[in-house]
Amino acid sequence: MYIELKENKTHGTKDFPFIDYHIHHVGHPYQIPVHWHDEFEIIYVENGTLQVTIDGTEYAAQTGDIFFVNPGELHFMGSDTGDANYHTFVFPLELISFQSEDALEETFFGPLKSGARKLSNVPAKEIDAAKSRSILQSLSAAYLSETNQFQVRILLLSLFCLLTGKSMSKPVASARGKNSAGKNIVTYLQQNYQQSIRLCDLAAETHLSEKYISRYFKESFHVTISQYLEHLRLTQAKHLLKKTDLAITEVALQAGFSDVSYFIRRFHQIVGVSPLQYRKQEP
């Protein structure tokens, strides 16, 4: 079962491009499907257990664990028990870089933004874990406060002060290989889900065999291509239902569903209410 994290939407607002997605008390197994974005992401598991996959590496996360997702890295997460209480902080690195031609920008923030440098996805052993967790707990509280912009920036910079050592760097992966193939597949699906997508079209676009694509996607991301497409389409349908006055038929078509009856049935099965009921719900 999916939870919408709106990875295909703007994170935060234009005036303040920072957001804390707090997932907790779900109560059933779920998975947030594979995605990537240009922003930096910090995952903090406040308590419970969570399966996290970043750039092809799987982690069994537990209470107190912290992960860093560099811009452009494929990642997804889920819980077999639904007991995880965790935060994902998402923001552009421009939010905390000083945009000046100094050594910090040249050697740290600039390479991070361009992809020439990547941080390790897990904290190095010498990183003060207790201090890192304290900063992230304060960051979550600051996000909810009225004066959050100053506090959030200061806290993020405090955290990054702990991450500037060489032990927190990792080699920048080659643009070739499985991770690149996965990113190409995901990008194609995200850009074309509103249209009819056949496996042969995807194979032609990525220059991979249909059999390889199906097996790779399922093994790497723990969902089938059809399940991922349905997630993208339902997410877009939710957006259209809340943000437009389009008729249900038009919502279905614009979201990529060619059969309106099937759309209504699947929407109810996945979301728990009909499209019309969802539109009438309070935001």
Side-chain angles (χ1 to χ4, degrees):
M1 188 167 185
Y2 299 134
I3 293 178
E4 180 183 358
L5 199 58
K6 298 184 179 178
E7 292 298 334
N8 61 330
K9 307 298 180 185
T10 301
H11 300 291
T13 66
K14 181 180 179 181
D15 292 332
F16 187 37
F18 174 92
I19 195 163
D20 171 11
Y21 292 109
H22 186 193
I23 308 297
H24 58 103
H25 300 133
V26 175
H28 56 71
Y30 63 87
Q31 179 176 314
I32 295 172
V34 61
H35 56 275
W36 67 275
H37 41 68
D38 293 325
E39 296 91 345
F40 195 86
E41 179 171 328
I42 303 169
I43 302 168
Y44 169 52
V45 183
E46 197 164 336
N47 53 64
T49 58
L50 188 71
Q51 289 78 49
V52 179
T53 300
I54 306 172
D55 206 25
T57 301
E58 298 184 8
Y59 304 94
Q62 299 178 339
T63 298
D65 284 348
I66 299 170
F67 302 90
F68 305 106
V69 184
N70 294 282
E73 287 185 330
L74 288 171
H75 57 288
F76 62 97
M77 61 213 75
S79 172
D80 294 332
T81 60
D83 70 339
N85 175 8
Y86 72 99
H87 301 259
T88 57
F89 304 99
V90 186
F91 56 94
L93 288 166
E94 287 80 2
L95 184 69
I96 54 173
S97 64
F98 295 97
Q99 307 297 302
S100 57
E101 296 181 2
D102 56 19
L104 186 61
E105 183 69 22
E106 182 179 343
T107 62
F108 188 76
F109 283 116
L112 271 183
K113 288 183 286 187
S114 69
R117 174 177 181 164
K118 290 182 181 292
L119 291 185
S120 171
N121 297 124
V122 294
K125 291 183 179 179
E126 62 268 28
I127 300 297
D128 189 331
K131 186 173 183 179
S132 299
R133 288 192 287 269
S134 177
I135 290 173
L136 292 175
Q137 289 164 2
S138 297
L139 184 62
S140 181
Y143 174 70
L144 300 175
S145 72
E146 293 182 357
T147 58
N148 60 357
Q149 292 208 33
F150 282 110
Q151 291 177 304
V152 163
R153 282 180 166 91
I154 291 169
L155 288 164
L156 285 173
L157 285 169
S158 297
L159 180 64
F160 271 76
C161 280
L162 304 176
L163 309 178
T164 55
K166 292 183 179 179
S167 60
M168 276 303 297
S169 293
K170 71 172 185 176
V172 176
S174 168
R176 302 175 182 175
K178 284 190 173 183
N179 289 337
S180 178
K183 192 171 180 179
N184 289 340
I185 294 169
V186 170
T187 299
Y188 181 83
L189 295 176
Q190 289 178 338
Q191 292 177 345
N192 296 279
Y193 68 88
Q194 292 166 300
Q195 308 169 25
S196 174
I197 297 179
R198 300 175 301 172
L199 192 56
C200 61
D201 298 327
L202 187 54
E205 180 69 23
T206 59
H207 307 291
L208 299 168
S209 73
E210 296 179 28
K211 184 177 180 180
Y212 175 83
I213 290 173
S214 295
R215 185 178 69 251
Y216 168 80
F217 202 90
K218 175 64 174 177
E219 290 177 353
S220 298
F221 306 135
H222 303 174
V223 293
T224 65
I225 290 176
S226 60
Q227 288 172 328
Y228 184 61
L229 277 173
E230 184 176 70
H231 162 74
L232 294 174
R233 289 165 176 164
L234 287 174
T235 299
Q236 175 65 1
K238 288 180 180 180
H239 173 74
L240 293 174
L241 287 167
K242 289 294 188 182
K243 300 298 183 180
T244 74
D245 295 323
L246 292 172
I248 301 301
T249 297
E250 189 61 27
V251 168
L253 295 175
Q254 288 198 21
F257 290 92
S258 58
D259 186 324
V260 179
S261 296
Y262 176 79
F263 161 68
I264 295 173
R265 183 167 66 253
R266 285 299 292 161
F267 191 98
H268 193 280
Q269 290 172 344
I270 298 298
V271 182
V273 295
S274 70
L276 186 57
Q277 289 172 320
Y278 180 82
R279 169 172 275 168
K280 291 179 179 179
Q281 287 178 345
E282 293 295 324

